[in-house]
Amino acid sequence: MRSVIAGLFIFLLTVSPLTGQELNCRVSVNAEQVQTSDRQIFEDMETALEQFLNNTQWTSDVFEPSERIGCNIIITLQNTPTLGYFSGTTQIQSARPVFNSNYESILLNFADRDWQFEYIESMPLNFNENIFTSNLTSLLGFYANIILGMDYDSFGELAGNPFFQKALNIANTAQTSNRPGWDALGSTRNRYWLIENMTNQQMQSLRTGFYRYHRLGLDTYMQSGDDARSTILTVLKDLQQIKQQYPNSIFVISFLDAKRVELINIYSEGELNTRRQAFEILANLDPANRAQYEQMLK
C-alpha cells in the first residue's frame, strides 16, 4: 500500500448495533454542562435519536448492511432553560469507503451552533418532511438527507439531487417555527446557507467536483497516484473560482474542514509542480491553516 494512503487520516466510527436502513449513525450526547439530577434522560436521548436515524427508511433504494453510510452526530448540550428544552451545538460527520483500500474518506464535518429542541424521556419522534412537527425531527431529517446527498454525489454526478431537495423542503417548512439556523439572517454558517449553497445552480461545479474528487480521484488513487492528484487539482481550481465569487460560501468552508488532512497527505507525495499548485490554491482558500499546508512541500 502506498505510504500516502497509509498515512491518511482514518475516520473512525463506533458502529451502533441497531438494525438500520441506509444510515449507520452513532449519536453521542455530552451533557456535562447541564445541571440536572436526572442523567438517565441523556442515555435515553442517545438511544432514541440513533433509532430514529438508523431505523427510518430515507430512500427507496435497497442497502446491504455493509453499504450503510457511517456517520456520527455529536451533540454538546450547553443549557436547559426550561424543563424538556435543550440547546447546544452539534458536529455532524459522515464518511465513505475508498475503492481498493481500507480507508474511509470524510465527506461531511459540519458544526451546527444553533441546535435547539424539546425532548422528554421516551417521547415518540414523529417526522413528516412536508409538515413541521418538532425542531428535533426536522434537524435529524435535514441532516439525514444532507448525509445521503453527499454520499450519492460522491458516487454519481449530481446523484444527490433528490436528497438535497428534500433537505431544502425540510428547511423551508421549518422556517415557520422561527427557530434559529433555518433562515438567512444572522450567521452565514447555518443550515439555511448550507442547503442554499448545495442547491445553488451557480455553485453546481462544487457538487460535480465532489464526484470527480471521490470517484475519479480517490477511487483511482491506488492504480495511479499521479493521475488522481491531477484530477483532484482540477477540483481545487474550480473551488478557487467559486470562492472568488462567493467568499463566504459555507460549502467551501465545509469541504476544507472535511478534507484538510486528507489533502495534505495526498499532496505530500508526487510531482513537485503539482504539489506546489495545490499548496498555492489551498493556502489561498484557507489562509488560517497555511502552516499546515506547508507540509506538502517538505
Side-chain angles (χ1 to χ4, degrees):
M1 182 179 293
R2 290 176 181 269
S3 60
V4 64
I5 287 291
L8 285 173
F9 175 77
I10 301 297
F11 184 67
L12 297 177
L13 292 168
T14 303
V15 177
S16 166
L18 300 172
T19 300
Q21 301 290 341
E22 299 88 0
L23 303 182
N24 200 347
C25 191
R26 171 66 180 252
V27 176
S28 174
V29 177
N30 181 339
E32 292 180 0
Q33 300 178 55
V34 177
Q35 301 299 316
T36 179
S37 58
D38 181 15
R39 311 306 295 183
Q40 179 61 38
I41 190 173
F42 303 118
E43 294 183 17
D44 182 83
M45 186 185 296
E46 287 182 344
T47 300
L49 270 55
E50 279 188 5
Q51 290 178 340
F52 175 80
L53 289 164
N54 294 332
N55 293 349
T56 298
Q57 187 166 350
W58 300 100
T59 81
S60 59
D61 296 331
V62 177
F63 277 59
E64 295 296 329
S66 61
E67 295 174 329
R68 294 171 193 154
I69 302 167
C71 50
N72 278 339
I73 293 184
I74 305 163
I75 303 170
T76 302
L77 299 177
Q78 296 170 330
N79 60 71
T80 175
T82 60
L83 182 65
Y85 186 92
F86 301 91
S87 66
T89 64
T90 299
Q91 196 78 22
I92 301 94
Q93 304 169 332
S94 69
R96 60 92 99 182
V98 173
F99 287 1
N100 299 314
S101 77
N102 60 359
Y103 172 68
E104 288 189 319
S105 177
I106 300 175
L107 298 182
L108 177 66
N109 187 21
F110 184 75
D112 188 323
R113 298 178 176 86
D114 295 309
W115 196 272
Q116 297 182 5
F117 62 95
E118 289 85 18
Y119 184 82
I120 298 173
E121 196 167 352
S122 300
M123 68 179 283
L125 298 180
N126 299 315
F127 175 70
N128 184 327
E129 68 181 64
N130 298 308
I131 302 172
F132 180 84
T133 56
S134 78
N135 206 47
L136 178 57
T137 55
S138 289
L139 288 165
L140 297 174
F142 176 83
Y143 282 114
N145 279 286
I146 292 292
I147 289 167
L148 284 161
M150 298 190 77
D151 190 82
Y152 274 66
D153 263 8
S154 76
F155 287 103
E157 190 167 296
L158 301 179
N161 277 344
F163 308 106
F164 291 133
Q165 287 302 315
K166 288 181 181 181
L168 179 61
N169 187 43
I170 293 168
N172 288 337
T173 302
Q175 284 184 7
T176 62
S177 69
N178 294 318
R179 298 297 182 87
W182 294 116
D183 58 45
L185 301 178
S187 173
T188 59
R189 299 190 178 194
N190 63 13
R191 296 181 293 278
Y192 172 91
W193 287 110
L194 180 64
I195 192 58
E196 190 280 339
N197 283 193
M198 289 176 168
T199 55
N200 187 331
Q201 292 296 310
Q202 302 302 315
M203 297 190 193
Q204 196 170 90
S205 62
L206 283 181
R207 288 187 47 216
T208 57
F210 207 68
Y211 166 75
R212 299 200 318 274
Y213 181 103
H214 294 93
R215 191 68 189 92
L216 306 181
L218 281 187
D219 283 344
T220 68
Y221 192 94
M222 295 303 292
Q223 285 71 46
S224 177
D226 286 338
D227 288 345
R229 275 185 283 269
S230 295
T231 297
I232 293 171
L233 185 62
T234 66
V235 176
L236 296 182
K237 291 176 179 178
D238 288 345
L239 201 68
Q240 188 173 41
Q241 291 182 352
I242 292 292
K243 182 67 179 291
Q244 290 171 352
Q245 294 177 278
Y246 301 92
N248 296 317
S249 168
I250 186 57
F251 199 173
V252 174
I253 294 169
S254 177
F255 179 92
L256 293 171
D257 284 346
K259 298 299 184 184
R260 185 175 298 112
V261 173
E262 184 172 88
L263 286 165
I264 289 170
N265 283 283
I266 287 171
Y267 289 104
S268 291
E269 287 189 356
E271 298 177 356
L272 182 58
N273 181 53
T274 302
R275 290 158 54 198
R276 281 176 174 165
Q277 289 183 68
F279 167 76
E280 290 171 1
I281 293 171
L282 290 167
N284 176 262
L285 288 171
D286 192 16
N289 292 290
R290 181 187 179 92
Q292 292 187 52
Y293 295 121
E294 288 177 351
Q295 300 174 47
M296 294 155 49
L297 303 180
K298 294 180 179 179

